[in-house]
């Protein structure tokens, strides 16, 4: 622990729930937990041990679970043991960062111009730090929730969660017994629409289909006619996939969000004007534009070994995301676009989910934000990517939301920072988030 973090951890920060959140986030960033999707990364063990020490320091016992060497998740129980439990979860891994592309060292945790810079400041060591700051402060000051809370910090979320959340759900489900509601990433951050701050709470996620397409043909000399060319067949399929325009489909969550924007714009939402309403979000439209339809993006190609040899096999990888309620449409369109003579193998197929945007927990999230920002507006949204919620949703009856609150400047293109170069977060947004989470825990 750094001297700064140690200074705030010895009890001197008891008067302020947001006093140590920036330092905790800096320390987490300085622990490289890059996830390359294989066993070549440093793993999450060091970060999990750091979190365990922070919790132990205030009297909260935790357990570490290692699915493979270094791939470590943490679970702790806080508050009473009886009753419906709330699961608060964040992941410890981050996507890799190429230091030569950044203005600062992505693992130095530097603060410049009111921003904390580094890999994980947005995805999602910011929420980890907010959660730890609030839990530690409340534990030190005797403000333990009346409701059981399960704290979970996971490995491997950036590669699908198969070595983290999925392992906890499948092999250590007893740790999650009694959880009826869950809060994790990605939501609670503000966007600015027509001069108003609109806070987006995640209430749904698209399903995920990471696919490998393989065409086989007849090998031969590149100078000769070859009507059974695997590269040509695969290339045609990839071109069809890239050119296809998916129809607009509005799920209940997006109907609520776009109706909120429609009120600000003075219009009613329809499938026809939905794309125009999405553009009201500025930079965030790149993400929200992807959640009014299914999507299928070619991402990698593999074929051949010499320029004058027609190979036997050619492969393409595609990233498919499908809306809740539209998986059948996605499958049928996928097969039509791929066509004959190409096999489709699923590398990862995860279901979408959608939680009704109602109930006491939603009301608590809304009140906690508006108490800190009375001029804000709160609405649900559907997330284009995937989170550990997909695995935790296997728990019977679990209602899940994304709520990592941040009040952001109107000119910050926040969604571009997810997995992006020069990832950063305003330090005052981290402090805002800690205060909001503290208010939220008062009500659960």
């Amino acid at each position: 622990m750094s001297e700064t973090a140690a200074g705030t951890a010895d009890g001197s920060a008891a008067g302020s729930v947001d006093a140590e959140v920036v330092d905790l986030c800096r320390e987490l960033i300085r622990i490289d937990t890059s996830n390359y999707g294989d066993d070549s990364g440093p793993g999450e063990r060091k970060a999990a041990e750091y979190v365990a020490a922070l919790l132990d320091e205030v009297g909260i016992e935790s357990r570490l679970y290692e699915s493979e060497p270094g791939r470590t998740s943490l679970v702790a129980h806080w508050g009473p043991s009886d009753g419906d439990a709330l699961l608060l979860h964040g992941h410890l891994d981050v996507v890799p960062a190429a230091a030569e592309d950044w203005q600062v060292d992505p693992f130095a945790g530097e603060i410049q111009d009111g921003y904390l810079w580094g890999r994980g400041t947005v995805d999602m060591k910011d929420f980890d730090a907010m959660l730890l700051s609030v839990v530690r402060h409340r534990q030190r000051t005797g403000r333990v929730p009346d409701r059981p809370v399960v704290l979970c910090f996971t490995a491997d979320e950036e590669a699908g969660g198969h070595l983290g959340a999925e392992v906890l759900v499948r092999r250590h489900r007893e740790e999650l017994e009694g959880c009826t509601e869950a809060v994790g990433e990605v939501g609670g951050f503000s966007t600015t629409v027509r001069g108003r701050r609109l806070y987006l709470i995640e209430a749904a996620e698209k399903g995920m289909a990471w696919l490998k397409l393989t065409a086989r043909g007849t090998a031969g000399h590149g100078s000769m006619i070859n009507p059974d060319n695997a590269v040509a067949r695969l290339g045609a399929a990839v071109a069809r996939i890239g050119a296809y325009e998916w129809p607009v489909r509005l799920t209940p969550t997006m109907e609520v969000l776009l109706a909120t924007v429609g009120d600000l714009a003075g219009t009613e939402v329809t499938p026809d004007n939905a794309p125009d309403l999405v553009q009201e979000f500025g930079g965030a439209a790149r993400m929200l534009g992807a959640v009014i339809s299914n999507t299928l993006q070619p991402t990698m190609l593999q074929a051949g070994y010499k320029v004058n040899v027609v190979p036997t096999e050619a492969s393409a990888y595609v990233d498919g995301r499908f809306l809740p309620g539209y998986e059948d449409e996605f499958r049928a369109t996928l097969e039509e676009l791929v066509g004959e003579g190409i096999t489709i193998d699923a590398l990862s197929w995860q279901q979408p989910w959608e939680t009704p945007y109602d109930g006491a927990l939603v009301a608590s999230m809304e009140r906690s934000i508006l108490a800190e920002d009375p001029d804000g507006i709160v609405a649900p949204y559907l997330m284009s990517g995937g989170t550990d919620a997909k695995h935790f949703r296997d728990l019977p009856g679990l209602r899940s939301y994304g709520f990592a609150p941040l009040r952001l400047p109107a000119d910050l293109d926040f969604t571009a920072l997810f997995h992006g170069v020069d990832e950063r977060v305003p330090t005052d947004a981290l402090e805002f988030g800690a205060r909001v989470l503290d208010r939220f825990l008062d009500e659960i």
Side-chain angles (χ1 to χ4, degrees), residues 55-115:
L55 294 176
D56 181 69
E57 189 174 41
V58 294
I60 299 175
E61 180 183 355
S62 57
R63 284 166 292 282
L64 302 183
Y65 293 99
E66 194 166 81
S67 55
E68 293 183 1
R71 310 310 304 275
T72 309
S73 299
L74 177 149
V75 181
H77 293 259
W78 185 43
S81 57
D82 296 328
D84 292 340
L86 173 65
L87 172 63
L88 299 176
H89 62 94
H91 62 84
L92 296 171
D93 62 323
V94 297
V95 297
E100 61 271 19
D101 296 334
W102 286 56
Q103 297 182 49
V104 301
D105 181 340
F107 297 104
E110 293 190 22
I111 295 177
Q112 294 184 11
D113 302 322
Y115 283 79

Side-chain angles (χ1 to χ4, degrees), residues 134-185:
V134 171
V135 169
R136 282 164 53 83
H137 182 270
R138 294 180 72 98
Q139 179 76 1
R140 284 193 301 258
T141 55
R143 296 168 58 231
V144 178
D146 296 329
R147 177 182 185 180
V149 173
V150 178
L151 305 172
C152 193
F153 297 83
T154 61
D156 197 44
E157 190 276 344
E158 296 294 1
H162 303 295
L163 300 179
E166 183 177 343
V167 171
L168 294 177
V169 171
R170 292 189 176 185
R171 301 182 196 170
H172 308 288
R173 185 167 292 215
E174 71 282 356
E175 292 279 22
L176 307 169
E177 197 71 33
C179 290
T180 58
E181 295 174 314
V183 168
E185 61 172 352

Side-chain angles (χ1 to χ4, degrees), residues 385-404:
T387 72
D388 279 337
K390 281 186 168 58
H391 298 295
F392 290 127
R393 291 275 300 187
D394 285 343
L395 300 174
L398 188 75
R399 292 168 60 96
S400 186
Y401 299 95
F403 184 61

Side-chain angles (χ1 to χ4, degrees), residues 35-36 39 85 92 94 104 106 112 133 160 164 185 199 209 281 303 306 313 327-328 343 345 361 370 400 428:
N35 187 346
Y36 294 90
D39 59 0
L92 296 171
V94 297
V104 301
Q112 294 184 11
S133 176
E185 61 172 352
Y199 291 87
F281 287 95
K306 197 171 186 291
E313 184 174 292
E327 182 175 0
D328 290 344
T343 61
D345 294 307
L361 197 72
L370 296 178
S400 186
D428 61 1

Side-chain angles (χ1 to χ4, degrees), residues 21 25 120-130 186-192 197-201 369 372-373 377 402-409 412 414-415 417-418 423-437:
V21 62
C25 194
T121 51
V122 167
D123 187 12
M124 64 168 300
K125 290 179 177 178
D126 58 341
F127 180 71
D128 295 337
M130 285 188 270
V186 175
F189 61 91
S190 70
T191 64
T192 300
R197 275 190 299 276
L198 177 56
Y199 291 87
L200 305 180
I201 294 177
I369 287 178
E372 290 291 329
D373 187 358
I377 303 171
F403 184 61
L406 295 168
R407 183 175 58 201
L408 301 169
L412 179 65
F414 182 66
T415 59
L417 300 177
F418 283 85
E423 185 179 348
R424 61 197 182 276
V425 67
T427 55
D428 61 1
L430 290 173
E431 294 163 347
F432 171 87
R435 295 193 302 271
V436 171
L437 280 179

